[in-house]
Amino acid sequence: MKLWSILGNSQKLDGGAMFGNAPRAMWARWASPDDENRIDLACRALLASPLNGKTVLFETGIGAFFEPKLRERYGVVEDRHVLVESLAAAGFKPEDIDVVVLSHLHFDHAGGLLAPWSEGQSPTLLFPNATYIVGRRHYERALEPHARDRASFIPELPALLEATGRLELVEGEFSKALGDTVRFHYSDGHTPGLMLAEIVGPDRVEGETHGGVVFCADLIPGRPWVHVPITMGYDRNAELLIDEKKAFLADKLRRNVHLFFTHDPQCALAQVVRDEKGKFGTAHEVPALHARALAA
Ligand SMILES: [Zn+2]
């Protein structure tokens, strides 16, 4: 099994919103803001093949589905569908993807499922053979969003996914499509039922799996958020998120599971470390994965 990091469309978003209650003087050291106070963000997907005999894409980024005005409002940099180009560069076409795993359905994670915007065209899905894996609890939220995050969902998406007949809603640790090769963790601090997919590592220690890679989605969007108190203004419940993140990082550190970041422009993969004061950080940072074997 090999891994590729697949860059999708990039985004520029307000730095203050991305770093919650952290003061500008602090976050400006981690991500330098432009004249409009916006910072660079990646939308990076993870491709694994063969995984349970399948080619699996973890997320699709923001894509190119927005009409020009909204594309500008949400700071989407390119108008082409960058994810599809990055897939091609890695040797894959959308029809090669057997499974797409979605941590949640906010547009900057699921928008890449859709074909690029075109005047007068209604949205269509790009992956004709894929089973779509979504957490059931989050899916229910997407069907009935709260006013707090309604604008983060694509209203047409649930019906499009259901119409394929290939939507698998997951409730527990494992899915039908991926068996015991991918284990799901859940977090509610960012959005209810956020699903964190761990590609299970090859090692077993006292009945536990060690090694492997976990897709951190919006629980930990990039390296600055590995520091436990740092949250996003977009999180629905910052205190809960901090508690969940602490337990999540302690578990990944103990089992040597590497972190995969979707929004960090410079870092795709890193190992978790903890200093003598108990502060979490990262080491062995990797900017991109090109057909990399799982064992680090
Ligand atoms: Zn989100």
Side-chain angles (χ1 to χ4, degrees):
M1 198 266 294
K2 298 282 199 308
L3 299 173
W4 289 258
S5 57
I6 305 287
L7 282 175
N9 289 62
S10 53
Q11 235 188 323
K12 288 183 185 291
L13 282 180
D14 184 88
M18 284 304 292
F19 290 107
N21 62 341
R24 190 182 193 277
M26 194 188 250
W27 63 253
R29 286 190 268 132
W30 307 324
S32 41
D34 67 10
D35 310 340
E36 293 174 65
N37 226 31
R38 302 178 309 172
I39 60 166
D40 291 331
L41 293 162
C43 289
R44 183 185 292 105
L46 172 64
L47 184 89
S49 185
L51 182 59
N52 206 31
K54 293 164 178 156
T55 297
V56 183
L57 183 64
F58 294 85
E59 301 214 327
T60 59
I62 195 164
F65 75 101
F66 276 131
E67 47 107 347
K69 232 201 234 152
L70 287 175
R71 185 168 78 81
E72 194 166 315
R73 180 183 306 169
Y74 292 113
V76 184
V77 177
E78 312 85 358
D79 59 0
R80 4 179 274 282
H81 202 311
V82 176
L83 181 91
V84 174
E85 297 176 1
S86 301
L87 278 174
F92 296 90
K93 298 186 288 295
E95 48 270 42
D96 298 331
I97 306 299
D98 301 307
V99 181
V100 179
V101 178
L102 297 155
S103 68
H104 64 311
L105 296 179
H106 287 168
F107 61 66
D108 55 326
H109 298 256
L113 290 172
L114 300 170
W117 175 83
S118 163
E119 181 82 65
Q121 297 283 309
S122 44
T124 52
L125 292 170
L126 269 183
F127 300 91
N129 302 312
T131 295
Y132 300 98
I133 294 187
V134 184
R136 182 179 293 277
R137 217 149 44 77
H138 180 74
Y139 192 74
E140 283 158 12
R141 171 74 164 207
L143 293 175
E144 275 183 72
H146 188 272
R148 164 86 175 170
D149 64 353
R150 178 161 296 137
S152 297
F153 290 97
I154 304 167
E156 298 89 347
L157 192 58
L160 286 171
L161 292 172
E162 280 178 40
T164 64
R166 302 187 308 271
L167 173 63
E168 182 185 344
L169 296 177
V170 180
E171 280 174 85
E173 281 191 305
F174 300 102
S175 64
K176 280 201 208 77
L178 298 173
D180 59 6
T181 62
V182 174
R183 178 180 161 203
F184 297 104
H185 307 266
Y186 294 91
S187 159
D188 294 328
H190 176 67
T191 186
L194 177 78
M195 198 163 73
L196 304 147
E198 176 185 337
I199 300 176
V200 170
D203 309 322
R204 298 283 178 284
V205 182
E206 290 167 10
E208 276 190 327
T209 59
H210 281 239
V213 170
V214 67
F215 195 99
C216 295
D218 280 346
L219 177 63
I220 311 174
R223 288 165 298 170
W225 296 269
V226 171
H227 183 36
V228 169
I230 303 302
T231 59
M232 291 193 281
Y234 300 108
D235 297 329
R236 67 187 279 268
N237 185 332
E239 289 186 10
L240 175 63
L241 184 127
I242 286 170
D243 294 342
E244 290 171 338
K245 181 162 58 171
K246 218 165 141 182
F248 179 88
L249 285 169
D251 172 58
K252 305 307 168 274
L253 175 68
R254 191 170 52 78
R255 296 189 296 112
N256 190 31
V257 178
H258 288 218
L259 309 181
F260 187 91
F261 300 122
T262 187
H263 290 310
D264 191 315
Q266 284 92 29
C267 178
L269 190 74
Q271 193 174 15
V272 191
V273 293
R274 193 174 204 176
D275 70 14
E276 57 295 341
K277 290 181 193 142
K279 184 177 172 180
F280 289 105
T282 52
H284 299 118
E285 298 167 346
V286 178
L289 311 177
H290 304 285
R292 183 187 165 110
L294 183 60

